[in-house]
Amino acid sequence: DGGITQSPKYLFRKEGQNVTLSCEQNLNHDAMYWYRQDPGQGLRLIYYSQIVNDFQKGDIAEGYSVSREKKESFPLTVTSAQKNPTAFYLCASSPTSGGPGTGELFFGEGSRLTVL
Amino acid sequence: AQSVTQLDSQVPVFEEAPVELRCNYSSSVSVYLFWYVQYPNQGLQLLLKYLSGSTLVESINGFEAEFNKSQTSFHLRKPSVHISDTAEYFCAVTAIYNQGGKLFFGQGTELSVKP
């Protein structure tokens, strides 16, 4: 079945450690996104990518890094510079990149990161 | 840029009662509007969307939303809720002719349906 796969679903890390969250899609979508979700704050955009080998910062990019070497994959690294990394992270994709589009996003199941 | 305000963070309601989840948006350009639903520890699923045409849009499970341009609102309604509707609901907006499908989300409304 086509969709977006995030892994791991749950992750624990110690302070000072980097961690990478995986996001893979087989929907042949051009654009991919990472959102962070905290209770009562909705979804905030971390990074997005409209095309392979290109990505842009979202609203809260500090302490995070991404890569887009393949169309299907958009991993997110939470670095030790992120001051409050405990959150639920959601990856999404969209069939359009730039220009007119419906703007609909398709989401993965999420990864819950807890920093101990 | 666009922004969304969901006016209620929590909405408790009894089963079979009607419900309205309120959403107001801000934008200087024409927009597309969405409602997403999120069940516990899961990703978001599209519930319904307004792109153009009729201002009243419906989902397959009985929800409906009406786009009101003059009031910049896109409230979500259901005439009779079920226990299974318990979830968090997010309103989202994007500008028509946007760059890369970037959506702006509201803070979410937690709908709790009680028996």
Side-chain angles (χ1 to χ4, degrees), chain B residues 97-115:
Chain B
Y97 300 110
N98 66 80
Q99 296 298 311
K102 188 176 175 182
L103 289 191
F104 296 88
F105 287 86
Q107 299 90 332
T109 297
E110 192 176 328
L111 175 64
S112 175
V113 181
K114 304 179 186 304

Side-chain angles (χ1 to χ4, degrees), chain A residues 56-108:
Chain A
Q56 289 79 41
K57 293 182 179 180
D59 302 316
I60 56 165
E62 185 175 350
Y64 299 97
S65 66
V66 293
S67 63
R68 187 86 187 276
E69 298 177 1
K70 300 186 299 181
K71 187 176 184 178
E72 304 80 18
S73 179
F74 191 42
L76 173 75
T77 296
V78 184
T79 75
S80 56
Q82 169 50 233
K83 297 187 185 307
N84 185 20
T86 294
F88 191 53
Y89 290 89
L90 287 161
C91 179
S93 69
S94 171
T96 57
S97 57
T102 66
E104 180 180 346
L105 296 184
F106 296 78
F107 283 86

Side-chain angles (χ1 to χ4, degrees), chain A residues 14-35:
Chain A
K14 295 180 180 179
E15 279 192 27
Q17 290 181 334
N18 292 354
V19 62
T20 297
L21 307 180
S22 170
C23 179
E24 303 278 333
Q25 57 102 355
N26 60 3
L27 300 169
N28 199 32
H29 286 173
D30 291 314
M32 297 186 73
Y33 310 81
W34 275 104
Y35 285 89

